[in-house]
Amino acid sequence: MKKWSSLEFRVAFTYLIVGVLWIFFSDMILAVLVADTDLMTHIQNYKGWFFVAASSLLIYFLVQSHLHARQIAEQKEEESTRRLRMAMEASQQGIFDFNIQSGELVVDDAYYRLLGYDPQGVFVETRDSFLQSIHPDDVENYLQVFREYMDGRSDIFRIEFRHRTANGNWRWFLSMGKIVKYDADHKPLRMLGTFLDITEKKDADLEIERLLHESQNRLQRLETLRAVDQSINENEPLSATLKLLTQKIKEHLKVDAVGIYILENTFHQYELAVADGFIPVSIQKLQTLKMRFPETDDELKVLRQINPDSKLLWPELAALLKEEGFQDFLVVPLIMQGSAMKGVLVLFSREKFSVDDEWLLYNETLAGQMAIAIANAKLIDGLKRANVELEEAYDRTIEGWSKALDLRDKETKGHSSRVMQMTMDLAQILGISEEDLVHIRRGALLHDMGKMGIPDSILLKPAKLTEEEFDMIRKHPQFAYDMLHPIVYLRPALDIPYSHHEKWDGSGYPQGLSGENIPISARLFAVVDVYDALTSHRPYREHWSHEKTMVYIHSMSGSHFDPQIVRVFEAYMQKKGLDAV
């Protein structure tokens, strides 16, 4: 179609048409227009020349029109090309034309301007020379993406890579291309594509990635501090808290080993509490540090900066550094604001530390948390020891009261300790908890505490008591309650002193409780107390035999005593070698 619209064809075709029309119609037109024969003859002599002149003018105008149209088209094409080049330069793009078979790569000058050169025209490279200008870390990926596109595993060639600039720096480019020509066997021959400078975008992405990484690190560090705070507030064992801290220090501060030493006494002896990341044999040599660490602010700054070449380095640590291959370490004091040093944190690395202010601040914050955990653990241990000592003092006091009661009534000497032991044995058989056993023991020792309110004339009377005197005796559980209830520490032990004279059928005193409304400790003690009382000598009667006492207790099952407790007591006596009924 293009050849029929060419200038040559148009001129030849126009000349042919005009010539045919002139031959067929020129005489007819002259005959109509000219009547004079002589004039007609004269015109006929110049008719050929006229045709030549007219056709020449026509051809001239045709050629001139074509040239003008082509000039306008070329101007438009040049303007379009200029605008395209400006747009590509503004968007920092270049164009490439790659001959796949020969490996010849043609790139325009825009691409080289992006690289800092000042070229003119287009430039030809080989594929190998082009690959040599790509960053070594990107070459393999570039070739892999190219192979995948050539093999048809991707629809378009697209790759991000770094290219060396004129000043030796690297800039990031995005290259996209597509095969535009194949041979008869459909083998790729030619690829066209673009290069786009994405350095600023890549730098922004890297900055965003860096900021995101820093934010994640800060979040992890905050979570660690929260976990440590929670561990401290919940009074977790010190070893668990310190292990958590060492794990997080290794993870977040990128160190190879961590050791935490706690000051155990005032003689500057530090004991290893937790170690992580060491060879077991080597850290065994550094279980104890015996040295005086500095304590003033100026000296502590030096302490934080101790390094393998420091004159302050003690021999055991120097040996550890050599054996483990550590190249750097940092000693951080474990100290709370306004308090004495609690210990030291030692960090080790097989490479030189790369630290910044944020790293140091986080490290010192964790060290402060360690100091709080150590101080808190020591405080709790002190409170526990004080509590144990207080409980022991209470128990010794209770035992003293019990012995005083036994001494007051010489005929019942040893009664309180005997009934206490049997009651504890029965309680353990029934599976009563250790916590409740403590209160049962105290209650058994204090069961007759109320008798301190009974006059000696009644309590030690050898003859039979009158009804009025017996009424006074019945008041001793209430006296015990009134005496012991104000002591909060002894309230859980009141069940036996207050209720051991209650009976299963409700006929006991002081409250007239019945059945399981009577505390189980009081039901246990009631059987034991009667047994020991009947088998012991009293001023007003002789002691009973074991057999007679067991018959009596069995007969009181379901009225005075809990039947289940009686069965347990009988089995207990059988196990001790004393026959029950």
Side-chain angles (χ1 to χ4, degrees):
M1 186 69 181
K2 184 177 181 181
K3 66 182 181 179
W4 300 114
S5 61
S6 65
L7 176 63
E8 297 87 343
F9 177 79
R10 289 169 61 190
V11 170
F13 184 74
T14 302
Y15 188 81
L16 176 62
I17 295 298
V18 173
V20 171
L21 291 175
W22 181 261
I23 292 171
F24 283 99
F25 296 104
S26 61
D27 291 337
M28 295 175 59
I29 294 172
L30 288 174
V32 174
L33 295 177
V34 180
D36 188 348
T37 303
D38 293 334
L39 181 59
M40 174 67 73
T41 301
H42 185 72
I43 291 174
Q44 285 288 356
N45 292 332
Y46 293 99
K47 183 174 70 170
W49 292 103
F50 180 78
F51 172 76
V52 172
S55 59
S56 297
L57 287 174
L58 181 60
I59 291 172
Y60 170 78
F61 284 117
L62 282 173
V63 172
Q64 186 67 24
S65 174
H66 176 80
L67 292 175
H68 180 69
R70 189 169 69 177
Q71 183 180 12
I72 292 175
E74 288 176 351
Q75 289 177 349
K76 289 182 178 180
E77 182 179 358
E78 183 178 346
E79 177 66 17
S80 176
T81 302
R82 186 181 66 83
R83 289 183 178 181
L84 176 61
R85 182 177 296 278
M86 289 177 61
M88 296 189 71
E89 288 179 355
S91 62
Q92 297 189 319
Q93 288 192 65
I95 300 174
F96 72 86
D97 184 346
F98 179 50
N99 188 317
I100 299 172
Q101 298 300 317
S102 67
E104 182 181 82
L105 179 68
V106 180
V107 293
D108 67 347
D109 59 347
Y111 179 62
Y112 277 89
R113 285 195 182 94
L114 295 175
L115 297 175
Y117 296 100
D118 187 19
Q120 297 291 328
V122 298
F123 298 85
V124 179
E125 282 195 84
T126 64
R127 183 178 67 175
D128 292 341
S129 65
F130 178 77
L131 291 175
Q132 290 175 0
S133 62
I134 293 179
H135 194 286
D137 294 343
D138 299 336
V139 172
E140 184 60 33
N141 186 44
Y142 190 99
L143 293 174
Q144 180 179 348
V145 172
F146 181 78
R147 285 193 295 266
E148 289 177 355
Y149 178 61
M150 289 293 105
D151 295 341
R153 285 178 283 169
S154 58
D155 295 332
I156 190 170
F157 174 74
R158 188 182 189 281
I159 181 68
E160 294 181 0
F161 64 95
R162 284 163 288 182
H163 198 294
R164 186 185 296 107
T165 62
N167 59 12
N169 295 328
W170 299 97
R171 293 192 70 82
W172 279 96
F173 285 90
L174 168 62
S175 179
M176 292 188 293
K178 200 169 183 67
I179 297 172
V180 295
K181 187 176 181 181
Y182 297 87
D183 64 8
D185 297 328
H186 201 68
K187 291 183 179 180
L189 299 177
R190 185 181 181 191
M191 176 193 289
L192 294 179
T194 61
F195 294 105
L196 174 65
D197 189 340
I198 59 171
T199 304
E200 284 72 18
K201 175 182 177 300
K202 205 71 178 179
D203 290 344
D205 291 344
L206 292 175
E207 179 65 14
I208 291 173
E209 183 178 352
R210 184 187 68 81
L211 293 174
L212 178 61
H213 181 69
E214 288 183 357
S215 299
Q216 290 174 338
N217 281 342
R218 291 192 181 103
L219 179 60
Q220 289 175 348
R221 291 173 179 179
L222 286 174
E223 289 177 347
T224 297
L225 293 175
R226 183 198 63 79
V228 173
D229 283 339
Q230 184 176 358
S231 178
I232 293 173
N233 292 333
E234 293 179 356
N235 295 324
E236 293 286 342
L238 179 61
S239 59
T241 302
L242 295 183
K243 284 181 180 178
L244 172 64
L245 281 164
T246 56
Q247 292 170 359
K248 297 304 180 181
I249 286 175
K250 285 185 63 181
E251 178 182 350
H252 297 157
L253 299 183
K254 308 302 180 186
V255 300
D256 293 311
V258 181
I260 301 175
Y261 291 84
I262 297 178
L263 180 63
E264 294 296 341
N265 52 49
T266 57
F267 299 104
H268 307 295
Q269 180 169 311
Y270 295 80
E271 297 293 337
L272 181 64
V274 176
D276 192 1
F278 298 93
I279 300 173
V281 176
S282 64
I283 194 61
Q284 290 297 325
K285 302 174 183 177
L286 205 61
Q287 290 291 313
T288 302
L289 300 179
K290 293 182 179 180
M291 66 174 296
R292 182 188 178 280
F293 285 100
E295 296 181 1
T296 67
D297 289 341
D298 291 338
E299 288 176 321
L300 287 176
K301 290 179 182 178
V302 176
L303 176 63
R304 291 189 181 93
Q305 297 171 359
I306 289 179
N307 57 65
D309 301 322
S310 173
K311 295 180 180 179
L312 297 175
L313 192 62
W314 55 100
E316 296 88 353
L317 183 56
L320 175 67
L321 294 176
K322 184 177 181 180
E323 186 172 348
E324 289 272 6
F326 293 131
Q327 297 297 316
D328 206 350
F329 78 101
L330 185 70
V331 180
V332 182
L334 304 182
I335 186 168
M336 292 166 38
Q337 186 174 4
S339 67
M341 186 180 292
K342 307 300 180 185
V344 289
L345 165 67
V346 191
L347 309 179
F348 299 87
S349 176
R350 292 183 174 87
E351 298 178 355
K352 287 293 183 180
F353 283 129
S354 177
V355 303
D356 53 23
D357 292 340
E358 186 173 340
W359 189 95
L360 290 172
L361 178 61
Y362 180 65
N363 183 28
E364 292 185 11
T365 302
L366 286 180
Q369 295 290 87
M370 290 183 195
I372 293 173
I374 294 170
N376 191 54
K378 288 187 174 181
L379 176 62
I380 291 174
D381 287 344
L383 290 174
K384 287 181 178 178
R385 284 195 299 270
N387 189 51
V388 169
E389 292 172 358
L390 184 60
E391 286 188 4
E392 290 176 351
Y394 269 120
D395 288 342
R396 286 194 294 269
T397 301
I398 292 169
E399 290 171 2
W401 288 346
S402 175
K403 289 179 180 178
L405 289 172
D406 285 350
L407 289 173
R408 186 185 179 200
D409 187 358
K410 296 180 181 179
E411 299 294 332
T412 60
K413 183 178 180 180
H415 168 70
S416 295
S417 61
R418 291 194 301 272
V419 295
M420 180 272 293
Q421 187 57 57
M422 282 196 290
T423 304
M424 291 289 287
D425 291 344
L426 292 175
Q428 289 175 333
I429 292 172
L430 291 176
I432 293 176
S433 68
E434 292 293 330
E435 182 180 355
D436 290 336
L437 286 176
V438 174
H439 302 306
I440 289 175
R441 179 180 181 277
R442 292 170 183 162
L445 290 172
L446 295 171
H447 73 280
D448 274 342
M449 190 69 182
K451 288 183 178 180
M452 293 183 68
I454 307 298
D456 287 348
S457 59
I458 298 176
L459 186 64
L460 304 178
K461 184 178 179 180
K464 186 178 180 179
L465 298 178
T466 66
E467 190 63 32
E468 291 78 10
E469 290 171 336
F470 195 69
D471 287 340
M472 176 61 70
I473 289 292
R474 287 193 182 98
K475 292 181 180 179
H476 82 272
Q478 187 63 49
F479 290 161
Y481 182 88
D482 295 339
M483 293 170 64
L484 299 176
H485 187 267
I487 305 174
V488 177
Y489 180 77
L490 293 177
R491 284 179 186 172
L494 276 175
D495 286 345
I496 291 176
Y498 190 40
S499 303
H500 70 284
H501 284 293
E502 302 287 355
K503 295 183 179 181
W504 185 257
D505 61 6
S507 61
Y509 62 89
Q511 294 178 280
L513 301 177
S514 64
E516 293 186 356
N517 290 323
I518 306 170
I520 188 170
S521 58
R523 284 181 269 150
L524 278 172
F525 186 82
V527 176
V528 172
D529 187 42
V530 169
Y531 175 84
D532 191 80
L534 292 177
T535 56
S536 300
H537 179 75
R538 288 291 186 269
Y540 48 85
R541 63 163 175 79
E542 290 296 325
H543 71 277
W544 288 13
S545 67
H546 165 72
E547 293 77 9
K548 181 179 180 181
T549 305
M550 292 302 297
V551 170
Y552 174 77
I553 289 175
H554 187 77
S555 67
M556 292 292 103
S557 176
S559 57
H560 189 162
F561 307 121
D562 179 347
Q564 181 184 0
I565 301 298
V566 171
R567 288 192 295 271
V568 172
F569 183 72
E570 290 173 346
Y572 170 71
M573 285 300 182
Q574 285 180 339
K575 189 174 182 180
K576 288 183 67 175
L578 299 174
D579 293 334
V581 175

